Amino acid sequence: MSLEPPKYLQSLQNNIRARPIAWEAAVRTGHITEGDLKYIKSVDKVRKEQRRQIVEGDLQGFTTLLLGGDNAKSVLESAVKKVDVVQYMLVLSGDLIDDIPALSSALLEQPSPFRPLIPLLSQSSNTEDPIRLLTSSVLTSLISKSLITSPKGTSATAEALPKLFSYLSYLAKSSDNDLQDIAVQDYSALLRTKKSREVFWKQREETISPLIDILRGVVGAGKDSDSTLWSGGSSIRSATDAGLGGGVGLQLLYHVLLVLWQLSFEGRLVGEGLENDHEIIPLYIQLLRLSPKEKTTRLLLSTLCNLISSNQMSLLPAAVLARLPALLQNLSGRHLTDTDLLDDHKALTTLLDEYTKNQTTFDEYAAEVQSGHLRWSPPHRNATFWSENARKIFEDNKGELPKKIAEIMAKSWDDDKQVLAIGANDIACLVKEVPEKRSQLEKLGLKSRVMELMAESNETVRWESLRAVGEWMRYSFEG
């Protein structure tokens, strides 16, 4: 799963490699020692194979150069006020770590392999500071190697990884696609073990939310729950025709999807949280409709498969509500060749078929309410549904559904006012069919809420709220 290095970072590194450094002056001013300079010059601007032989011939010396030892500072610490030297040494360190496995192993055997690097992550307030960018690159390379050799993590990794994730999250929040791509590629390199994915999830407000914002930009949905996610049909429209939304390039989209796919291997841990916080199922279904390439379709389907199969009780209803079965049927009409993609398509189809064949109209309604997002699906306007199921809605699972309706109605839904109109409609139907349960609804604050919504600017919300209050008043007078 090797990715091409971000072009912005490559350009920065190449620029620094080409700069002349006044090494002797740095020795005279005490920013580096004569010993440091000897090691630097021995590997500076020499061929890779020759460099490897030199480093492997004195691993202890190069380890001391980069990490310090015996009360000696590392070159990064001693030259901290010499910006050009620090930048050059970060690039050189990255090259040595990437090209010489024996050196990275020697570094990781030390008790504090990340000590000289961590302070550089926060040495300025400018997220785009080259030193911070280059430090994050070196740390990513070194920590990812540490995670592979010690999957359960070390104490040094446990201290460094959250700090690196925090810095990368600032890049992911940037409006610059190049900086965002650096963040997601580094994330991908780091999320290769269960331990790192658990840390990433623990910091989800920092790490995941910016990635979801990027994906919402692709489908044209805002940060809050938006009807855009729920308004799509089962048709497929290639984004190669209309372009990706939010100014997101195909490469960035692929890399974001790759990160979330890696996270989805912890499906039991993250599935319900991703749905509750970000409505991941309808978002991914909408992305499937727009998927411009087979490789993005593969990641979308595989992620959905991982999440849904690990959380069938909570996520299968959400998938049916967002019309995934119909979309999968349309996808089967595409000329798909990737075997992994086809396997995931088959697995999802089987899961959904097994689930839907046993579903009743009440189950569909309950699933929609539990999703936390109402739409004008058939039960809401069906008088027979309400006469047959209203009492069950109050009684099922100790009255959980009216409580969930109250949670939904408590929100403002500024981006999707129809949710409030649908909720008011349902409240009117419940009062009409089971008037003796009015006090239960009142205790949940639903009577006061629909009375409040009678003053809403949205005409449909006003009308449905007026109808709900009317049902209350009718039974009050009759009582």
Side-chain angles (χ1 to χ4, degrees):
M1 197 167 56
S2 178
L3 301 175
E4 286 292 323
K7 291 181 179 179
Y8 179 87
L9 188 61
Q10 270 191 314
S11 176
L12 176 63
Q13 291 167 334
N14 289 336
N15 185 288
I16 291 170
R17 287 188 190 102
R19 293 177 191 168
I21 304 292
W23 294 113
E24 284 73 14
V27 172
R28 287 195 302 271
T29 56
H31 290 104
I32 62 173
T33 67
E34 289 281 2
D36 293 337
L37 183 57
K38 176 185 173 183
Y39 279 106
I40 293 167
K41 285 196 168 183
S42 71
V43 292
D44 187 32
K45 296 180 174 59
V46 300
R47 294 191 304 274
K48 278 188 178 183
E49 182 57 28
Q50 182 183 354
R51 175 185 281 176
R52 183 184 65 78
Q53 292 174 358
I54 293 169
V55 173
E56 288 180 349
D58 189 1
L59 286 173
Q60 182 57 53
F62 281 95
T63 299
T64 302
L65 173 73
L66 299 181
L67 296 184
D70 296 330
N71 299 318
K73 291 182 177 180
S74 80
V75 67
L76 290 171
E77 292 171 312
S78 60
V80 69
K81 294 183 179 180
K82 193 74 173 169
V83 172
D84 59 340
V85 172
V86 173
Q87 289 181 355
Y88 195 90
M89 286 309 303
L90 285 170
V91 174
L92 181 60
S93 298
D95 291 341
L96 296 177
I97 289 166
D98 289 339
D99 296 340
I100 308 169
L103 176 62
S104 59
S105 297
L107 293 171
L108 292 172
E109 287 172 0
Q110 304 306 306
S112 303
F114 316 120
R115 180 179 52 80
L117 294 165
I118 295 298
L120 297 178
L121 269 184
S122 55
Q123 79 151 21
S124 78
S125 58
N126 179 11
T127 305
E128 301 177 41
D129 184 326
I131 287 179
R132 299 181 77 186
L133 285 172
L134 295 166
T135 300
S136 70
S137 178
V138 177
L139 270 173
T140 295
S141 183
L142 203 52
I143 291 175
S144 65
K145 288 176 171 61
S146 173
L147 289 166
I148 292 170
T149 56
S150 304
K152 292 185 178 179
T154 63
S155 58
T157 302
E159 179 186 357
L161 188 58
K163 295 176 182 177
L164 180 55
F165 278 154
S166 290
Y167 171 69
L168 294 176
S169 73
Y170 286 113
L171 296 183
K173 293 171 190 171
S174 169
S175 58
D176 187 317
N177 281 3
D178 289 326
L179 296 178
Q180 290 175 320
D181 202 42
I182 290 171
V184 292
Q185 288 210 45
D186 284 354
Y187 281 156
S188 183
L190 294 163
L191 293 180
R192 296 179 183 178
T193 67
K194 179 180 179 66
K195 183 65 178 178
S196 62
R197 293 191 288 264
E198 288 172 347
V199 175
F200 190 79
W201 177 248
K202 188 176 181 180
Q203 294 177 240
R204 55 189 173 275
E205 287 191 14
E206 287 182 294
T207 56
I208 294 172
S209 294
L211 305 184
I212 297 295
D213 289 342
I214 291 171
L215 296 182
R216 284 179 168 272
V218 172
V219 301
K223 289 187 179 181
D224 300 318
S225 296
D226 192 304
S227 58
T228 304
L229 297 184
W230 296 88
S231 60
S234 59
S235 62
I236 299 168
R237 176 177 65 85
S238 174
T240 53
D241 298 328
L244 294 172
V248 178
L250 177 60
Q251 175 176 280
L252 178 58
L253 171 63
Y254 177 76
H255 292 157
V256 172
L257 294 177
L258 182 62
V259 168
L260 293 173
W261 170 73
Q262 290 172 270
L263 184 66
S264 73
F265 283 93
E266 308 307 321
R268 285 182 180 273
L269 173 68
V270 309
E272 289 193 12
L274 284 172
E275 180 61 16
N276 292 337
D277 295 342
H278 303 293
E279 294 189 314
I280 194 74
I281 299 300
L283 174 59
Y284 262 54
I285 292 171
Q286 193 75 329
L287 286 163
L288 261 181
R289 296 187 179 101
L290 302 174
S291 180
K293 296 287 183 180
E294 192 166 292
K295 66 179 185 179
T296 52
T297 300
R298 179 178 66 242
L299 287 175
L300 288 162
L301 277 180
S302 184
T303 304
L304 283 171
C305 196
N306 289 343
L307 295 176
I308 293 172
S309 62
S310 301
N311 304 272
Q312 295 185 28
M313 186 174 294
S314 56
L315 298 190
L316 274 171
V320 171
L321 186 63
R323 305 186 67 183
L324 180 56
L327 183 58
L328 290 176
Q329 188 174 358
N330 276 352
L331 268 178
S332 63
R334 281 187 178 184
H335 182 61
L336 302 173
T337 58
D338 185 278
T339 54
D340 290 336
L341 188 160
L342 292 170
D343 288 345
D344 287 328
H345 183 280
K346 182 178 179 181
L348 273 173
T349 300
T350 301
L351 266 177
L352 289 160
D353 285 347
E354 286 295 317
Y355 173 75
T356 54
K357 73 181 183 183
N358 296 316
Q359 289 299 289
T360 64
T361 307
F362 175 81
D363 293 327
E364 293 173 7
Y365 175 79
E368 182 180 334
V369 173
Q370 291 294 356
S371 78
H373 198 128
L374 305 178
R375 62 187 180 90
W376 284 118
S377 55
H380 297 286
R381 295 295 201 191
N382 189 317
T384 302
F385 168 80
W386 289 107
S387 64
E388 293 178 351
N389 293 287
R391 189 171 297 278
K392 187 176 181 181
I393 288 171
F394 280 104
E395 297 171 352
D396 187 69
N397 202 10
K398 298 180 180 179
E400 183 181 2
L401 290 178
K403 293 176 185 175
K404 189 65 181 180
I405 291 171
E407 286 180 22
I408 294 169
M409 293 297 287
K411 298 178 182 178
S412 63
W413 295 100
D414 292 331
D415 294 322
D416 194 6
K417 290 294 185 182
Q418 73 165 355
V419 173
L420 295 174
I422 298 166
N425 167 83
D426 292 5
I427 293 166
C429 294
L430 289 171
V431 174
K432 179 180 179 181
E433 296 296 336
V434 198
E436 65 271 25
K437 295 288 188 179
R438 284 171 296 163
S439 61
Q440 185 175 333
L441 297 178
E442 289 172 13
K443 287 177 183 177
L444 293 172
L446 287 171
K447 181 179 180 182
S448 58
R449 179 57 171 154
V450 289
M451 291 181 71
E452 178 185 311
L453 291 174
M454 288 170 60
E456 247 292 333
S457 58
N458 183 283
E459 183 179 354
T460 309
V461 176
R462 285 202 311 272
W463 165 250
E464 296 296 347
S465 300
L466 178 62
R467 193 165 69 84
V469 173
E471 290 295 340
W472 242 296
M473 298 304 292
R474 180 159 70 93
Y475 284 103
S476 296
F477 289 139
E478 288 181 4

